[in-house]
Amino acid sequence: MGKQRYTYDYPHPAVTTDCVVFGFDGHEMKILLVERGIEPYKGMWALPGGFIRMDETAEQCAQRELQEETGLNLSLLKQFMTFSEVNRDPRERVISIAFYALARKSDVKGGDDAAQARWFALNEAPRLAFDHDYILRKAMEKLREDIHFEPIGFDLLDSEFTMSELQRLYEAILGIQFDRRNFHKKMLQTGIIEEADDDETVFFGKNREMRSMSIDALFGDKAEEMPRPCPTSPNSNSRTTRRWGTKFRFNKRRYDKFKEDNNFRLEF
Amino acid sequence: MGKQRYTYDYPHPAVTTDCVVFGFDGHEMKILLVERGIEPYKGMWALPGGFIRMDETAEQCAQRELQEETGLNLSLLKQFMTFSEVNRDPRERVISIAFYALARKSDVKGGDDAAQARWFALNEAPRLAFDHDYILRKAMEKLREDIHFEPIGFDLLDSEFTMSELQRLYEAILGIQFDRRNFHKKMLQTGIIEEADDDETVFFGKNREMRSMSIDALFGDKAEEMPRPCPTSPNSNSRTTRRWGTKFRFNKRRYDKFKEDNNFRLEF
DNA sequence: GCAAAAGTGTTCTTCGTACACCCATGA
DNA sequence: TCATGGGTGTACGAAGAACACTTTTGC
């Protein structure tokens, strides 16, 4: 059959989505790139993405393209900016709606169904096709902003994680160093993470009187009567007194309540 | 000459920009709407905006359309979200890149070059065409977020303003009430506004030691040796001892420095 | 003259931040 | 055994938040 063509009274730009997928391997931030198989920029690395279809939203398009090109199926894609420079694509006028997404550690390690997709450490990424370097930088800026208000860090870790992993993650995203003790206290104090040791919910930290925490800084304050594992009493079920490598998990329920209490504003 | 038409191998959506223009009359938030002169939604109110041209960016398009439809020429348009629902326009597939902008009090009062443009109080706005009610709500959410980090409030006031005006503005945007004294102190303490009384720059507040201010709250703290107009000494040039209606102005230079000192993160 | 808005300081509480030592693990 | 990383608490200073009375202006 003959090639179908589409005609309009006025010129229309093409519209694509591009997706910046962040990952964290426990030590540094990674991004997922695909190698372009066709011109333009054939052979260069680029953000996964592609042209929007007429029957899908930008969100659906980004998710589909990500799945097709990298094998990753991430449901939480966050739109952060639309790029509309006139000559950003040599073929024709292309406007790109950009998203970022967060992949779990397991995705980063296992990953790469698609042969042409690869994880790169942020500072080892090659130059990208089109204006994707710029898009990437904007995504990183947005991620830094968002982490002040959303507990996005947890989407980058496995469901159970150590406090040090969490701290390294925040340090990697924000590019600053935290005091270990202050970070630990601050995180517990919010009440949105809990010890994952036993199955029963141990109530750590105080939950009341929580206003706003300046993020800059995720550090402690005065420890206030928090129940702690007493090392003297022999813990029955775990024979080896495991005091190291304590695992924590994110408590979504408590986070939602916390946000509600604080007028939906949460600042780490 | 015959009607020119534009043809593509693959279907292309139409792309528009829409612009949410906020204003503040000293007491409540306003938005600028235009009445639609053509179908669809003829006669309804809508956000100013229109189709993008092939030789302009989305930002340029938004600025141009705003000028054409309302007579306002605002240079600071902030892109906040792109709307891509499949059926948001009955004519064809239309993707809209949305911006918000801030107009000064004088623009709100004088305004309306265009016959079909009008300012509405936020809570008195009619139902809007297309999905513009939704876009408006998203713009308001974004404005609330942004005010934590940017001194956008000042773009809504004239260059000189009273502390009460500023407070009413913040209260209108954030939907909360502040303690007058705490607000006053907090604002001066940041050092980014100064008294506009004399021409000479009076150094108000302290500029050092400024980390992060939780916004929720723009209130005071301990007053710290700030030079204040002494009411006993007769002020020479103004015969009437004017203690009320003190005007302030925004100090951009000091704001930039402040931001730099704080790693480009500013939280009110 | 009365009501409504603007101007101004102090105190207490909470939070941020700096800081040091011990224990476990693995090379 | 030595180096590295994890685990834990306290004390001080800054910032947040609550609070009342007086002066002016406009009706």
Side-chain angles (χ1 to χ4, degrees):
Chain A
M1 60 178 143
K3 201 169 191 176
Q4 200 180 347
R5 294 179 64 85
Y6 300 85
T7 302
Y8 307 92
D9 289 344
Y10 296 95
H12 284 35
V15 175
T16 63
T17 62
D18 285 305
C19 205
V20 180
V21 184
F22 289 107
F24 183 68
D25 67 355
H27 290 275
E28 52 182 354
M29 293 297 292
K30 307 262 191 176
I31 50 163
L32 186 59
L33 299 175
V34 296
E35 192 172 3
R36 285 186 62 79
I38 57 166
E39 293 293 348
Y41 299 103
K42 185 173 176 177
M44 284 187 80
W45 293 88
L47 300 172
F51 291 93
I52 198 170
R53 294 183 183 161
M54 299 307 270
D55 60 352
E56 66 185 1
T57 65
E59 284 71 17
Q60 288 160 352
C61 171
Q63 190 171 6
R64 175 181 56 76
E65 291 282 352
L66 188 59
Q67 161 75 45
E68 288 174 9
E69 296 189 353
T70 73
L72 267 188
N73 196 336
L74 299 177
S75 53
L76 266 167
L77 297 166
K78 192 169 163 79
Q79 191 197 122
F80 68 93
M81 196 169 169
T82 296
F83 297 84
S84 63
E85 283 300 312
V86 173
N87 290 309
R88 48 182 302 283
D89 191 307
R91 292 167 292 187
E92 63 176 322
R93 177 76 193 275
V94 177
I95 289 174
S96 178
I97 306 170
F99 294 78
Y100 75 76
L102 305 174
R104 286 191 186 279
K105 213 171 141 186
S106 42
D107 294 322
V108 179
K109 295 225 162 136
D112 299 46
D113 286 17
Q116 80 281 23
R118 228 192 88 187
W119 287 99
F120 288 84
L122 250 188
N123 46 16
E124 290 165 7
R127 292 209 69 175
L128 304 183
F130 305 103
D131 56 353
H132 287 189
D133 283 315
Y134 181 61
I135 296 178
L136 173 58
R137 200 166 70 242
K138 287 290 171 192
M140 192 64 205
E141 287 173 13
K142 195 61 168 57
L143 182 67
R144 278 195 184 180
E145 274 181 34
D146 287 352
I147 204 174
H148 297 308
F149 295 108
E150 298 285 334
I152 46 182
F154 305 107
D155 292 325
L156 285 159
L157 297 168
D158 292 323
S159 65
E160 297 195 354
F161 48 85
T162 67
M163 198 55 88
S164 308
E165 284 173 323
L166 186 61
Q167 182 176 347
R168 274 194 300 268
L169 172 58
Y170 271 79
E171 288 176 342
I173 293 179
L174 292 170
I176 31 181
Q177 302 273 106
F178 297 112
D179 179 278
R180 199 155 16 104
R181 290 158 292 190
N182 293 339
F183 183 87
H184 186 270
K185 274 178 293 179
K186 192 58 163 183
M187 274 296 164
L188 286 182
Q189 183 189 242
T190 64
I192 63 173
I193 66 174
E194 63 193 4
E195 212 173 332
D197 206 351
D198 309 346
D199 282 337
E200 50 179 328
T201 301
V202 182
F203 205 96
F204 249 59
K206 52 178 180 128
N207 220 0
R208 54 189 170 76
E209 211 16 282
M210 218 154 277
R211 276 154 224 281
S212 66
M213 290 149 293
S214 146
I215 161 69
D216 217 341
L218 300 144
F219 357 56
D221 80 345
K222 209 168 297 182
E224 193 176 333
E225 313 301 330
M226 47 175 68
R228 57 181 168 226
C230 63
T232 54
S233 74
N235 214 331
S236 52
N237 39 5
S238 62
R239 214 193 39 235
T240 54
T241 45
R242 188 200 35 63
R243 281 185 57 206
W244 275 254
T246 316
K247 295 275 188 173
F248 295 88
R249 75 165 88 88
F250 173 56
N251 186 324
K252 175 119 178 52
R253 210 183 56 251
R254 207 174 287 162
Y255 165 70
D256 288 339
K257 184 179 177 317
F258 176 82
K259 254 184 109 172
E260 207 176 314
D261 288 348
N262 289 276
N263 215 357
F264 293 93
R265 221 150 344 88
L266 168 68
E267 303 174 28
F268 279 100
Chain B
M1 54 178 151
K3 202 172 195 176
Q4 200 180 348
R5 293 177 65 84
Y6 301 85
T7 302
Y8 307 92
D9 288 344
Y10 296 95
H12 284 34
V15 175
T16 63
T17 61
D18 285 305
C19 207
V20 179
V21 184
F22 289 107
F24 182 68
D25 67 354
H27 290 276
E28 52 183 354
M29 293 297 292
K30 307 261 192 177
I31 50 163
L32 186 59
L33 300 175
V34 295
E35 193 172 3
R36 284 185 62 79
I38 55 167
E39 293 293 347
Y41 299 104
K42 184 172 175 177
M44 284 188 80
W45 294 87
L47 299 172
F51 291 92
I52 198 170
R53 294 182 182 163
M54 298 306 270
D55 59 351
E56 68 185 0
T57 65
E59 286 70 18
Q60 288 160 352
C61 172
Q63 190 171 4
R64 175 182 56 75
E65 290 282 352
L66 188 59
Q67 161 75 45
E68 287 173 11
E69 296 188 354
T70 72
L72 266 187
N73 196 338
L74 299 176
S75 53
L76 267 166
L77 297 166
K78 192 168 164 80
Q79 192 197 121
F80 69 93
M81 197 171 169
T82 296
F83 297 83
S84 62
E85 284 299 314
V86 173
N87 292 309
R88 49 181 300 284
D89 190 307
R91 293 166 292 186
E92 62 176 322
R93 176 78 193 274
V94 177
I95 289 174
S96 178
I97 306 170
F99 294 78
Y100 76 77
L102 305 174
R104 286 191 186 277
K105 212 171 141 186
S106 42
D107 294 321
V108 179
K109 296 229 161 131
D112 301 45
D113 286 18
Q116 81 281 23
R118 227 191 89 187
W119 288 99
F120 288 84
L122 250 189
N123 46 17
E124 292 166 6
R127 292 209 70 173
L128 304 183
F130 304 103
D131 56 352
H132 288 188
D133 283 314
Y134 180 60
I135 296 178
L136 173 58
R137 201 168 68 240
K138 287 289 170 190
M140 193 63 206
E141 287 173 13
K142 195 62 166 62
L143 183 67
R144 277 194 184 181
E145 275 181 34
D146 287 352
I147 204 174
H148 297 308
F149 296 106
E150 297 286 333
I152 47 181
F154 304 107
D155 293 323
L156 285 159
L157 297 168
D158 293 322
S159 64
E160 297 196 354
F161 47 84
T162 67
M163 199 54 88
S164 308
E165 283 172 323
L166 186 62
Q167 182 175 348
R168 273 195 300 267
L169 172 59
Y170 270 80
E171 288 176 341
I173 293 178
L174 293 170
I176 30 182
Q177 301 274 105
F178 296 113
D179 179 277
R180 200 153 15 101
R181 290 158 293 186
N182 292 339
F183 183 87
H184 187 269
K185 273 179 291 177
K186 191 57 163 185
M187 274 297 164
L188 287 181
Q189 185 190 240
T190 64
I192 64 174
I193 67 174
E194 62 193 6
E195 212 175 332
D197 205 352
D198 309 346
D199 281 338
E200 51 181 328
T201 301
V202 182
F203 205 95
F204 250 59
K206 53 180 178 129
N207 221 0
R208 56 193 168 73
E209 211 18 281
M210 216 155 279
R211 274 153 226 282
S212 65
M213 290 150 294
S214 147
I215 160 66
D216 217 340
L218 299 145
F219 356 57
D221 80 346
K222 207 167 297 180
E224 191 176 336
E225 311 301 333
M226 49 172 67
R228 56 183 169 227
C230 63
T232 54
S233 76
N235 214 329
S236 52
N237 38 5
S238 63
R239 214 191 38 233
T240 54
T241 44
R242 187 195 37 60
R243 280 184 58 206
W244 275 253
T246 315
K247 295 275 188 173
F248 294 88
R249 74 165 89 87
F250 174 55
N251 185 325
K252 177 120 177 50
R253 210 182 55 250
R254 208 173 288 162
Y255 165 70
D256 288 339
K257 183 177 177 319
F258 176 82
K259 252 184 110 172
E260 207 176 315
D261 288 348
N262 288 275
N263 215 356
F264 293 93
R265 221 149 346 85
L266 169 69
E267 302 174 28
F268 279 100

